[in-house]
Amino acid sequence: MQARPAARLTVLSGPSGVGKDSVIEMVRARSPWVWLSVSVTTRPRRDNEVDGVHYHFVDRAEFERMIRSDQLLEWAEFAGNLYGTPRAPVTARLRAGEPVLLKIDLQGARQVRKAMPEAQLVFLAPPSWAELERRLIGRGTDDPETIRQRFAHAREELAAEAEFDVTVVNDSVVRAADELVGLLGSPALL
Ligand code: 5GP
């Protein structure tokens, strides 16, 4: 029998607007056994988002309480909002042998690298900077100052690609998702 890769923690990072959500949606359709961490954030909920599905939406006081009580595996501040990964569900899933996927920003990826050196860091890259700019503007949900901050943040994130174990280019959502499914591994045989 062929050996299967052990279940493990994978971090997916990449500049805002690169298409992480679309790729992850496709990965979930193909590999329902992969567990996707739900982050906590102080960012206001967008109309298309559901509390507990896309994020756990909390206020700043609650987020700070979670930091103080060490409930977050990592956290970061981005465009004036706090984002973090609750630690307990991640460790529980890994212990149960399920592949775990975290969708977090560069600062978070660096913290996970320190806290869990065995984690696999995957960088989702745009086919080109021009295409990324087009996607960042095209989203149409943010004001010009937020877009400016997203550009600056995206440039910083693109420069960090070398810190990651693998780069997946999002030239096509289906192709990128296939590549990621191959990297995530299967559930451990219990
Ligand atoms: P958005 O507000 O567009 O949903 O997310 C903004 C940024 O926050 C994205 O780059 C996203 O990857 C990042 N992000 C989302 N959740 C987390 C998290 O739990 N931790 C960290 N460090 N970044 C996160």
Side-chain angles (χ1 to χ4, degrees):
M1 197 178 80
Q2 213 183 335
R4 304 166 87 186
R8 57 168 158 182
L9 177 65
T10 301
V11 173
L12 183 71
S13 214
S16 182
V18 75
K20 291 182 291 258
D21 291 328
S22 313
V23 170
I24 283 174
E25 209 175 295
M26 185 73 67
V27 167
R28 298 190 86 181
R30 292 178 182 219
S31 307
W33 56 83
V34 172
W35 186 75
L36 179 66
S37 166
V38 180
S39 299
V40 275
T41 184
T42 61
R43 171 170 71 61
R45 191 177 61 77
R46 295 184 184 131
D47 284 347
N48 61 336
E49 290 175 330
V50 179
D51 189 20
V53 176
H54 298 92
Y55 285 105
H56 299 290
F57 296 94
V58 298
D59 62 20
R60 205 166 248 269
E62 170 66 6
F63 197 102
E64 283 167 358
R65 194 188 60 73
M66 293 180 86
I67 296 174
R68 278 198 306 276
S69 52
D70 203 27
Q71 287 181 51
L72 300 178
L73 176 60
E74 60 75 37
W75 64 274
E77 181 148 19
F78 173 57
N81 298 304
L82 299 169
Y83 298 82
T85 304
R87 183 195 302 277
V90 170
T91 45
R93 301 291 168 147
L94 287 174
R95 226 177 277 133
E98 295 174 40
V100 170
L101 180 59
L102 306 185
K103 182 203 84 163
I104 56 180
D105 80 339
L106 174 62
Q107 304 167 64
R110 285 178 176 146
Q111 290 178 57
V112 172
R113 173 67 97 206
K114 273 201 196 127
M116 296 182 163
E118 69 281 12
Q120 165 177 244
L121 267 54
V122 178
F123 188 82
L124 191 65
S128 68
W129 171 254
E131 173 60 20
L132 183 64
E133 273 191 333
R134 202 182 60 73
R135 290 183 197 172
L136 282 172
I137 296 168
R139 174 141 67 184
T141 49
D142 301 309
D143 59 51
E145 174 54 21
T146 303
I147 290 176
R148 195 196 61 72
Q149 285 182 18
R150 283 184 190 277
F151 275 15
H153 194 71
R155 266 188 223 102
E156 193 190 313
E157 295 220 318
L158 278 179
E161 184 185 338
E163 294 176 38
F164 287 74
D165 299 311
V166 191
T167 293
V168 172
V169 177
N170 188 16
D171 45 6
S172 132
V173 172
V174 173
R175 203 208 54 75
D178 273 352
E179 198 177 335
L180 191 55
V181 164
L183 291 167
L184 285 166
S186 312
L189 294 175
L190 299 174

